[in-house]
Amino acid sequence: MTRRHSEPTPEEIKEKQALEDALEEGLEETFPGSDPVNVIQPAPSRGDGHVKRTD
């Protein structure tokens, strides 16, 4: 006995779209993916002399 696939419900469509939107936003927020995430604040460079830091 083979079970036939039914059309997705409106709730399933909405949930899938929400997941797709969240994935797309996550990808955009992490672009470019080749840059590593900094966990700590790097030391200031010479060019940062004009920037005030609150360490």
Side-chain angles (χ1 to χ4, degrees), residues 2-53:
T2 304
R3 182 174 180 210
R4 295 181 60 157
H5 293 281
S6 63
E7 292 295 317
T9 65
E11 291 82 20
E12 291 172 329
I13 294 170
K14 187 176 181 180
E15 181 179 356
K16 184 175 180 180
Q17 185 61 48
L19 290 172
E20 290 290 328
D21 291 345
L23 175 61
E24 185 66 28
E25 182 180 349
L27 291 172
E28 289 174 2
E29 293 293 323
T30 59
F31 182 80
S34 61
D35 291 348
V37 176
N38 281 334
V39 178
I40 59 171
Q41 182 70 29
S45 66
R46 290 184 198 176
D48 290 333
H50 67 286
V51 177
K52 282 194 161 188
R53 293 198 170 199

